[in-house]
Amino acid sequence: MKNSLLLILLSILTLSGEQAFSANKPNPSSPPDRKWWKEAVVYQIYPRSFKDSNGDGVGDLRGIVEKLDYIKSLGIDVVWLNPVFTSPNADNGYDISNYRDIMREFGTMADFDQLLKGMHERGIKLVLDLVVNHSSDEHEWFKQSRSSRTNPYRDYYHWWPAEKGKPAFRPGAFEVDGSGWRYDSLTNAYYLHYFSYKQPDLNWENPKLRKEIFDMMKFWFDKGVDGFRMDVIPFIAKDTAFPVITQKELQQKYNGDWSQYMGSGPGLHDYLKEMNREVLSKYNCMTVAEGAGVTVKTAHDFVDEERNELNMLYHFEGVSLGYLPDKFKVMDPNGYKLTEFKKIYSKWDSVFSRKGWGTIYLGNHDQPRMVTRWGNDSLQYRELSSKMLTTFLMTMRATPYYYFGDELGMNNIKFDQIEDYRDIESISMYQQIKNNGGDLQEFIDAQKISARDNSRTPFQWDASQNAGFTSGTPWIKVNPNYRAVNVAAEEQDENSVLNYFRKMVRLRKHNPVLVYGAYKLLVPEDPQVYAYTRTLGNEQFLILLNFSAKKADFALDKKLNPAFVLINNYPNIETNGKQVKLAPYQAVVVRMK
Ligand code: GLC
Ligand code: CA
């Protein structure tokens, strides 16, 4: 095979997406059901770690305002901001004590207004994080609710009177004992919290509570925000009888997965329809559910247009791949199989091929850095594999959610000791494993790959102290590779990960085939290459991604013309037109017709 391959090394013209396509405009026949949020690229900012404007070591809104031109330069359309509301920060803002004000550490409402204005002036939309499965235990509602059994706010939360005995088990994700109930002696009752005890679950079965939430959403929409990312929204509805769920039942009905149980409470879709009717339908907005517990079978219930609920959701099947089943985020020593990866993303593409619309992401504030988890963060391949993963995200039929810092190729910090972690999840899991006499070293090693704090380290602006993020002491350590990996350095380098991201965004934005075109997986069994076509009208793009550190062969059934390579993370492509030899982590997008 090798010998028969006529290897031609061809230098590719350095055409940007725009140049390539002004000469060759896409088919004007517009695809059905176009929506701005389908065509958008979403850029997620973790405000705590983006830019600190006042030297207290914590990123803030004024910091984002300072960097709006940078954000604009990426070419993205929408910014999703993690929660910026008043919060005691048990879970970095996912525990809100006032939904209508800004966290002091992040600034003031005036700063927020300025940020929103600055984004809109630049044509960027702003999506906020809606955290309404639970509030903070320091929210006024909860203070009232716990004060007495007859308080008017009692039914804003879920209480179980202790005289009925212990409530049936529900999981509490961030609790050392794993329980989702906490006893409160003040009224001799337990309250429900699916996360930490600092995050009591709101009672959506109460219409008064729903009205409060809807009014609050209107408050932000009336300010001009463009949408919401909805935190664990499938969890909001509960069977308030809180029946016992046996292992057998959990297995049979929910595949043994608590999040599937929690994501299918009885009133769920009524509440979402009501939210749509009362709020969402009145604004030109976008919504995306954090699809915890959502499966290919239930996905349509959230996002089909005619159901009038939400626009998009993101699933967990992809990012869960490769972990051992009975351990907490410990990677299978054999890594993940690309064939499985392809199967999952192809399946989810087909879920939305006729109805609804998908999302695609490989990183966010709950995931480690994508290049460490899905690429290769060694010195040799960090940049190449970052670009390859970016190519994947920007060429799928789904709205890309791109996590800040991935455009620089930022990788996991890999802390050696628990003391460096700030995340409630890592800290409580460590304690849980310790209490159970488990293997702490295994946990620390696994966290180097999977911990959330890996993606929460400060953004790397330049080579000055603390990567230019803060003049003070950063709230979490800066990745020591910042002297090489930072915006300032990458701006200077035409071939940087940053500039590749910008080109890739442009390519997507200028080619509807990359947004709406039909997706077809090629070579599903190939263990190294992820290859697919995107086709719209009489246009077809071929995407070739080598997910491995070894060269990989790919055979075509028709001729590939190297002059039509639109983007390539290498200077060349090795091909005779019918066969391609992909270099390690090589990514190319080629126009086929
Ligand atoms: C979501 C958030 C995560 C948070 C949790 C509880 O999964 O993305 O960061 O810890 O909900 O609010
Ligand atoms: Ca600050």
Side-chain angles (χ1 to χ4, degrees), residues 99 127 143 187 285 324 343-344 428 432 445 470 539 542:
Y99 288 97
V127 163
K143 288 186 193 162
T187 55
C285 62
L324 292 172
K343 207 186 273 172
I344 291 172
S428 65
Q432 186 179 106
D445 290 344
T470 180
E539 261 204 314
L542 170 71

Side-chain angles (χ1 to χ4, degrees), residues 37 42 80 94 127-132 217 227-236 263 268-269 272 275 280 286-295 298-304 309-316 348 352 357-361 364-366 399 401:
W37 43 265
V42 180
W80 154 26
Y94 284 94
V127 163
L128 295 181
D129 216 310
L130 185 78
V131 189
V132 291
M217 292 172 76
F228 283 108
R229 173 267 183 186
M230 302 189 175
D231 191 61
V232 291
I233 200 79
F235 290 3
I236 56 175
L268 175 58
H269 293 288
L272 293 177
M275 179 194 282
L280 304 174
M286 64 158 260
T287 52
V288 56
E290 184 195 17
V294 177
T295 67
T298 57
H300 280 281
D301 297 344
F302 292 83
V303 297
D304 275 359
E309 296 186 23
L310 305 176
N311 299 139
M312 296 174 268
L313 64 84
Y314 65 88
H315 64 81
F316 282 75
W348 276 94
F352 299 121
W357 186 253
T359 64
I360 188 94
Y361 73 106
N364 64 33
H365 67 293
D366 292 329
T399 298
Y401 285 70

Side-chain angles (χ1 to χ4, degrees), residues 51-61 105-106 470:
K51 173 73 183 151
D52 173 21
S53 70
N54 63 352
D56 67 355
V58 175
D60 46 54
L61 299 185
E105 276 182 309
F106 286 178
T470 180

Side-chain angles (χ1 to χ4, degrees), residues 40-101:
V41 175
V42 180
Y43 180 68
Q44 181 190 350
I45 295 180
Y46 198 66
R48 179 164 289 272
S49 301
F50 192 58
K51 173 73 183 151
D52 173 21
S53 70
N54 63 352
D56 67 355
V58 175
D60 46 54
L61 299 185
R62 301 202 68 81
I64 305 175
V65 171
E66 279 174 28
K67 297 297 184 181
L68 280 172
D69 289 333
Y70 170 76
I71 297 167
K72 174 71 187 162
S73 79
L74 299 175
I76 55 88
D77 308 276
V78 177
V79 167
W80 154 26
L81 271 191
N82 290 94
V84 295
F85 317 98
T86 314
S87 166
N89 284 312
D91 184 19
N92 289 1
Y94 284 94
D95 49 321
I96 296 169
S97 54
N98 183 351
Y99 288 97
R100 292 174 187 241
D101 204 355

